[in-house]
Amino acid sequence: MKKALFALLLIGVLAIGVVASGCIGGGGTTSSPTQTTQTTTTSSPTQTTTTTSSPTQTTTTTTEEKKVTIVIWHAIGPNELKAFEDLIAEFEIEYPNIDIQLEQKADLETSLKAAIPAGQGPDLFMWAHDWIGKFAEAGLLEPIDEYITPEILNKFSPMAQNAIEYGGHYYAMPYAAETVALIYNKDMVPNPPKTFDEMKAIMEKYYNEAEGTYGLATPMDPYFLSGWVHAFGGYYFDDKTKTPGLDKPETLQGFKFFFEQIFPYVAKTQDYNAQVSLFHDGKAPMMINGPWSIPDVRNAGINFGIVPLPPIDDKHRPHPYGGVRLIYVAKLNDPSKKDAIWTFLKWFTTNPDVIKTLSLQNGYIPVLTEVLNDPEIQNDPVLYGFGQAVQYAIPMPKSPEMGAVWGPVGTAITDIIAGKKTIEQALQDAQKEILDAISGS
């Protein structure tokens, strides 16, 4: 373009002895002393101005790119936020015409449900995958099916692929996962248990309630017990049939296994902090917990290791619930932003350097297969330990009906611990309560 413009200027010099001067590209103009005719053509996201010239008419091309602003709502803690801010700054350097604005919301769900229908919501928001069903059915999400190719899907672990889909549509992209694993004190347990029998032997060795020591520290709620229930084919709720499974014999078997084989060796409290403190204080050699617990374990000075929950036998292995961190696409008021939104989503979730940074700085367990196989990630005991545990995890149900499940199952566990009900009766009552809630009875 510069050579063509220079040739026109040279002709002007030879013809009338006048040199037209100016700035080439980026908005400069050249002119002749006699006439300027301007023709403007506009397109989105680029605006182009073309001016045609001769000795009596000048041509200039000006390009002004339209900047797209993408707003992301989140509830990320301050310790984790810096990594996101730094990565977004890198993205904005690479894509100067896309501006990313992070906005923190104290009550993210309430804020989203109020703002999106009113056309005042964000373009994207971050949360675990278990919101996808209720938000999709409420019409609060934007499908991104046209961008999700087999090539994109195959970049991620199976659990992550499952997490971004609901009702035959894709609404989000994954960037991390989490589940529970067995965290052990290396000073008390030099070699982690490879089978449940080995785990039980360790629990028996350290359990002495009279002295305030226990064989295992584990929170006791539906999420933490799920692995033992799933080990025998039981379940709380099935997404495909949209029915609870507390009355299934496999579910009963899983509950009985926990309360007969594990519960006798743990402190009889459902207080999360009390259970965690037992491990921190060296009063339990092992703890079942997730990656969110590791900073406090480190602060307690525990020399620890992490392995998946060990198999019970050749046919039964714990499959705890897992969660996948997603970036959701909210219902868009301006569909013209969709390509820019996808540009950011693809960059953020399929870029190995981005996911590796989140893993190393925030302790996030990657779901991008390339990063899972990265030697530096595999050499990190926390990332590798939980990364292995995620391979055995089952995604939490995505249906909105799952909201009616957690409470009754939690009550059943509480009643069993307190001795108010038998396991059978507690599960039967929970089943009925869930069915009544789903049917609106």
Side-chain angles (χ1 to χ4, degrees):
M1 184 175 67
K2 291 183 179 181
K3 289 181 177 180
L5 184 55
F6 179 78
L8 288 172
L9 292 175
L10 184 58
I11 293 171
V13 170
L14 296 173
I16 59 175
V18 177
V19 177
S21 62
C23 183
I24 300 176
T29 59
T30 60
S31 62
S32 92
T34 52
Q35 183 181 349
T36 300
T37 303
Q38 182 169 292
T39 304
T40 303
T41 305
T42 304
S43 63
S44 178
T46 303
Q47 185 179 56
T48 304
T49 302
T50 304
T51 305
T52 306
S53 69
S54 65
T56 58
Q57 187 173 312
T58 306
T59 299
T60 302
T61 301
T62 303
T63 302
E64 181 182 333
E65 304 233 352
K66 181 182 178 182
K67 196 159 192 173
V68 178
T69 298
I70 297 173
V71 177
I72 305 175
W73 286 6
H74 67 90
I76 299 168
N79 294 334
E80 300 176 12
L81 190 57
K82 187 178 186 304
F84 285 88
E85 292 172 337
D86 291 345
L87 288 168
I88 286 171
E90 290 182 21
F91 172 81
E92 290 177 332
I93 291 172
E94 189 171 341
Y95 295 90
N97 295 314
I98 302 177
D99 178 52
I100 307 295
Q101 294 183 4
L102 280 174
E103 297 182 12
Q104 190 167 33
K105 299 293 178 181
D107 188 344
L108 182 60
E109 183 174 7
T110 300
S111 299
L112 289 166
K113 288 181 175 179
I116 295 175
Q120 299 176 343
D123 301 297
L124 303 171
F125 63 92
M126 296 180 176
W127 194 259
H129 79 274
D130 57 330
W131 280 5
I132 196 167
K134 61 185 175 182
F135 273 74
E137 291 195 9
L140 303 179
L141 300 178
E142 184 78 22
I144 53 172
D145 303 341
E146 63 267 39
Y147 303 104
I148 308 298
T149 63
E151 181 184 3
I152 292 292
L153 283 176
N154 290 335
K155 292 178 181 291
F156 301 101
S157 65
M159 188 167 77
Q161 294 182 33
N162 177 290
I164 64 176
E165 181 272 336
Y166 185 79
H169 295 287
Y170 295 99
Y171 295 102
M173 286 290 283
Y175 62 93
E178 59 190 21
T179 191
V180 300
L182 188 68
I183 307 168
Y184 62 98
N185 186 326
K186 289 184 175 181
D187 295 334
M188 301 171 74
V189 183
N191 300 307
K194 296 180 180 179
T195 66
F196 180 78
D197 285 343
E198 292 181 7
M199 177 178 167
K200 186 174 180 180
I202 295 169
M203 291 192 293
E204 289 175 338
K205 176 182 177 180
Y206 283 96
Y207 177 76
N208 189 328
E209 190 171 18
E211 296 183 3
T213 62
Y214 300 89
L216 176 71
T218 178
M220 290 182 284
D221 63 22
Y223 183 82
F224 281 88
L225 265 66
S226 65
W228 309 109
V229 175
H230 296 148
F232 296 91
Y235 59 92
Y236 302 149
F237 185 84
D238 180 54
D239 260 338
K240 293 181 180 178
T241 62
K242 291 187 179 291
T243 55
L246 278 300
D247 62 344
K248 302 298 181 184
E250 297 86 354
T251 303
L252 176 62
Q253 187 178 3
F255 268 86
K256 282 188 173 181
F257 179 86
F258 175 83
F259 280 102
E260 292 173 2
Q261 302 295 324
I262 299 172
F263 184 69
Y265 305 102
V266 305
K268 309 306 185 279
T269 175
Q270 286 183 274
D271 183 273
Y272 176 90
N273 292 325
Q275 289 285 351
V276 170
S277 293
L278 292 173
F279 184 71
H280 290 174
D281 296 340
K283 295 181 178 180
M286 302 176 292
M287 175 174 70
I288 296 176
N289 221 315
W292 54 85
S293 70
I294 296 305
D296 289 335
V297 172
R298 284 196 170 111
N299 291 338
I302 302 294
N303 179 23
F304 68 94
I306 300 168
V307 292
L309 299 179
I312 297 167
D313 54 39
D314 292 341
K315 296 181 179 179
H316 304 96
R317 177 171 201 128
H319 296 284
Y321 272 145
V324 180
R325 293 175 181 250
L326 304 182
I327 307 180
Y328 290 84
V329 183
K331 191 67 178 178
L332 297 177
N333 295 318
D334 183 2
S336 69
K337 298 171 69 171
K338 203 168 182 180
D339 283 346
I341 288 171
W342 174 248
T343 297
F344 172 74
L345 284 176
K346 184 180 179 183
W347 183 90
F348 195 89
T349 61
T350 68
N351 185 327
D353 292 335
V354 171
I355 301 305
K356 186 174 178 178
T357 296
L358 289 175
S359 297
L360 295 176
Q361 292 190 17
N362 286 358
Y364 290 174
I365 311 307
V367 292
L368 193 64
T369 305
E370 182 176 349
V371 179
L372 278 171
N373 296 330
D374 185 285
E376 191 172 358
I377 297 299
Q378 293 187 339
N379 288 333
D380 184 299
V382 174
L383 297 175
Y384 180 76
F386 281 113
Q388 293 301 301
V390 164
Q391 305 309 308
Y392 300 107
I394 293 176
M396 287 184 291
K398 298 175 286 185
S399 301
E401 289 86 355
M402 186 64 187
V405 175
W406 296 111
V409 177
T411 299
I413 294 170
T414 299
D415 288 344
I416 296 168
I417 292 173
K420 293 182 178 180
K421 295 179 182 179
T422 64
I423 297 175
E424 291 87 345
Q425 188 62 55
L427 296 181
Q428 288 173 12
D429 291 348
Q431 177 79 3
K432 183 179 184 305
E433 186 178 349
I434 295 166
L435 287 172
D436 288 346
I438 292 175
S439 65
S441 301

Short mmCIF file of all heavy atoms in Angstrom, two decimals, residues 21 25 30 57 59 74 83 133 162 185 212 245 248 270 294 304 319 358-359 363 391 405-406 420:
data_model
loop_
_atom_site.label_atom_id
_atom_site.label_comp_id
_atom_site.label_asym_id
_atom_site.label_seq_id
_atom_site.Cartn_x
_atom_site.Cartn_y
_atom_site.Cartn_z
N SER A 21 1.94 15.80 1.55
CA SER A 21 2.62 15.14 2.66
C SER A 21 1.61 14.66 3.69
O SER A 21 0.53 15.20 3.82
CB SER A 21 3.62 16.10 3.31
OG SER A 21 2.92 17.20 3.85
N GLY A 25 -1.06 5.14 6.84
CA GLY A 25 -1.64 4.14 7.73
C GLY A 25 -1.98 4.73 9.06
O GLY A 25 -1.52 5.79 9.44
N THR A 30 -3.50 12.48 3.14
CA THR A 30 -2.75 13.32 2.21
C THR A 30 -3.76 14.16 1.45
O THR A 30 -4.89 13.76 1.26
CB THR A 30 -1.96 12.46 1.22
OG1 THR A 30 -2.85 11.64 0.48
CG2 THR A 30 -0.95 11.57 1.94
N GLN A 57 -7.16 15.02 -6.49
CA GLN A 57 -7.93 14.19 -5.57
C GLN A 57 -6.97 13.26 -4.84
O GLN A 57 -6.12 12.64 -5.46
CB GLN A 57 -8.95 13.37 -6.37
CG GLN A 57 -9.93 12.59 -5.50
CD GLN A 57 -10.99 11.96 -6.38
OE1 GLN A 57 -11.55 12.63 -7.23
NE2 GLN A 57 -11.25 10.70 -6.17
N THR A 59 -5.94 10.02 -2.07
CA THR A 59 -6.44 8.77 -1.50
C THR A 59 -5.71 8.45 -0.20
O THR A 59 -4.49 8.45 -0.16
CB THR A 59 -6.21 7.61 -2.47
OG1 THR A 59 -6.91 7.88 -3.67
CG2 THR A 59 -6.71 6.29 -1.88
N HIS A 74 -17.41 -13.39 38.82
CA HIS A 74 -16.80 -14.53 39.49
C HIS A 74 -16.92 -14.37 41.01
O HIS A 74 -17.33 -13.32 41.51
CB HIS A 74 -15.31 -14.62 39.11
CG HIS A 74 -14.49 -13.48 39.63
ND1 HIS A 74 -13.87 -13.51 40.85
CD2 HIS A 74 -14.21 -12.26 39.09
CE1 HIS A 74 -13.23 -12.37 41.05
NE2 HIS A 74 -13.42 -11.59 40.00
N ALA A 83 -3.50 -14.77 39.61
CA ALA A 83 -3.14 -15.57 38.44
C ALA A 83 -4.07 -15.27 37.28
O ALA A 83 -3.63 -15.16 36.13
CB ALA A 83 -3.17 -17.05 38.79
N GLY A 133 -27.31 -27.26 34.64
CA GLY A 133 -28.68 -27.69 34.38
C GLY A 133 -29.71 -26.62 34.70
O GLY A 133 -30.55 -26.27 33.87
N ASN A 162 -17.91 -34.16 29.73
CA ASN A 162 -19.27 -34.37 30.23
C ASN A 162 -19.83 -33.11 30.87
O ASN A 162 -21.00 -32.78 30.73
CB ASN A 162 -19.26 -35.53 31.22
CG ASN A 162 -20.61 -35.80 31.85
OD1 ASN A 162 -21.10 -35.01 32.64
ND2 ASN A 162 -21.20 -36.93 31.51
N ASN A 185 -0.16 -38.64 56.28
CA ASN A 185 0.99 -38.09 56.98
C ASN A 185 2.16 -39.05 56.81
O ASN A 185 2.15 -40.17 57.32
CB ASN A 185 0.65 -37.91 58.46
CG ASN A 185 1.75 -37.19 59.24
OD1 ASN A 185 2.93 -37.35 58.95
ND2 ASN A 185 1.35 -36.42 60.24
N GLY A 212 -7.86 -39.85 72.29
CA GLY A 212 -8.18 -38.79 71.34
C GLY A 212 -7.51 -38.94 69.99
O GLY A 212 -7.33 -37.95 69.27
N GLY A 245 -31.87 -42.51 43.84
CA GLY A 245 -31.57 -43.94 43.97
C GLY A 245 -31.27 -44.37 45.39
O GLY A 245 -30.54 -45.34 45.60
N LYS A 248 -32.13 -48.04 46.25
CA LYS A 248 -31.47 -49.12 45.51
C LYS A 248 -30.62 -49.97 46.46
O LYS A 248 -29.94 -49.42 47.36
CB LYS A 248 -30.58 -48.57 44.40
CG LYS A 248 -31.30 -47.69 43.39
CD LYS A 248 -32.37 -48.45 42.65
CE LYS A 248 -33.07 -47.57 41.62
NZ LYS A 248 -34.18 -48.29 40.97
N GLN A 270 -19.74 -34.34 62.76
CA GLN A 270 -19.89 -33.88 61.38
C GLN A 270 -19.32 -32.48 61.19
O GLN A 270 -19.48 -31.89 60.12
CB GLN A 270 -21.37 -33.89 60.98
CG GLN A 270 -21.92 -35.29 60.72
CD GLN A 270 -23.36 -35.26 60.25
OE1 GLN A 270 -24.29 -35.23 61.04
NE2 GLN A 270 -23.55 -35.27 58.93
N ILE A 294 -5.26 -28.22 50.98
CA ILE A 294 -3.80 -28.36 51.00
C ILE A 294 -3.08 -27.14 51.59
O ILE A 294 -2.10 -27.32 52.34
CB ILE A 294 -3.27 -28.68 49.59
CG1 ILE A 294 -3.81 -30.05 49.14
CG2 ILE A 294 -1.75 -28.67 49.57
CD1 ILE A 294 -3.52 -31.20 50.09
N PHE A 304 3.28 -34.56 53.94
CA PHE A 304 2.12 -35.31 53.44
C PHE A 304 2.33 -35.84 52.03
O PHE A 304 3.19 -35.39 51.27
CB PHE A 304 0.87 -34.43 53.46
CG PHE A 304 0.90 -33.29 52.47
CD1 PHE A 304 0.34 -33.42 51.20
CD2 PHE A 304 1.51 -32.07 52.79
CE1 PHE A 304 0.37 -32.39 50.29
CE2 PHE A 304 1.55 -31.03 51.88
CZ PHE A 304 0.98 -31.19 50.62
N HIS A 319 -15.58 -44.15 43.82
CA HIS A 319 -15.66 -43.14 42.77
C HIS A 319 -16.35 -41.91 43.35
O HIS A 319 -17.56 -41.74 43.24
CB HIS A 319 -16.46 -43.67 41.57
CG HIS A 319 -15.82 -44.83 40.88
ND1 HIS A 319 -14.73 -44.69 40.04
CD2 HIS A 319 -16.10 -46.16 40.91
CE1 HIS A 319 -14.38 -45.89 39.58
NE2 HIS A 319 -15.18 -46.79 40.10
N LEU A 358 -2.23 -21.84 35.96
CA LEU A 358 -3.26 -21.97 36.99
C LEU A 358 -2.96 -23.16 37.91
O LEU A 358 -3.24 -23.10 39.12
CB LEU A 358 -4.63 -22.14 36.34
CG LEU A 358 -5.22 -20.92 35.65
CD1 LEU A 358 -6.52 -21.28 34.95
CD2 LEU A 358 -5.47 -19.79 36.66
N SER A 359 -2.42 -24.21 37.36
CA SER A 359 -2.10 -25.39 38.15
C SER A 359 -0.96 -25.11 39.12
O SER A 359 -1.05 -25.41 40.32
CB SER A 359 -1.73 -26.57 37.25
OG SER A 359 -2.83 -26.94 36.43
N GLY A 363 -2.80 -24.25 42.29
CA GLY A 363 -3.05 -25.62 42.71
C GLY A 363 -4.23 -26.27 42.03
O GLY A 363 -4.75 -27.29 42.49
N GLN A 391 -9.28 -39.01 37.85
CA GLN A 391 -9.55 -40.03 36.84
C GLN A 391 -10.61 -41.04 37.30
O GLN A 391 -11.25 -41.70 36.49
CB GLN A 391 -8.26 -40.77 36.48
CG GLN A 391 -7.12 -39.88 36.02
CD GLN A 391 -7.51 -38.92 34.91
OE1 GLN A 391 -8.06 -39.32 33.90
NE2 GLN A 391 -7.23 -37.64 35.12
N VAL A 405 -31.90 -33.02 46.41
CA VAL A 405 -31.30 -34.26 46.87
C VAL A 405 -30.36 -34.06 48.05
O VAL A 405 -30.37 -34.83 49.02
CB VAL A 405 -30.55 -34.96 45.71
CG1 VAL A 405 -29.80 -36.19 46.20
CG2 VAL A 405 -31.53 -35.32 44.60
N TRP A 406 -29.54 -33.03 47.99
CA TRP A 406 -28.49 -32.85 49.00
C TRP A 406 -29.05 -32.83 50.42
O TRP A 406 -28.50 -33.50 51.32
CB TRP A 406 -27.71 -31.56 48.74
CG TRP A 406 -26.94 -31.53 47.47
CD1 TRP A 406 -27.19 -30.76 46.37
CD2 TRP A 406 -25.77 -32.31 47.14
NE1 TRP A 406 -26.27 -30.99 45.38
CE2 TRP A 406 -25.38 -31.93 45.83
CE3 TRP A 406 -25.03 -33.26 47.81
CZ2 TRP A 406 -24.27 -32.49 45.20
CZ3 TRP A 406 -23.91 -33.82 47.19
CH2 TRP A 406 -23.55 -33.43 45.89
N LYS A 420 -30.56 -42.19 65.43
CA LYS A 420 -32.01 -41.96 65.41
C LYS A 420 -32.73 -42.93 64.48
O LYS A 420 -33.90 -43.25 64.70
CB LYS A 420 -32.30 -40.52 64.96
CG LYS A 420 -31.85 -39.46 65.95
CD LYS A 420 -32.22 -38.06 65.45
CE LYS A 420 -31.81 -36.99 66.44
NZ LYS A 420 -32.16 -35.63 65.94
#
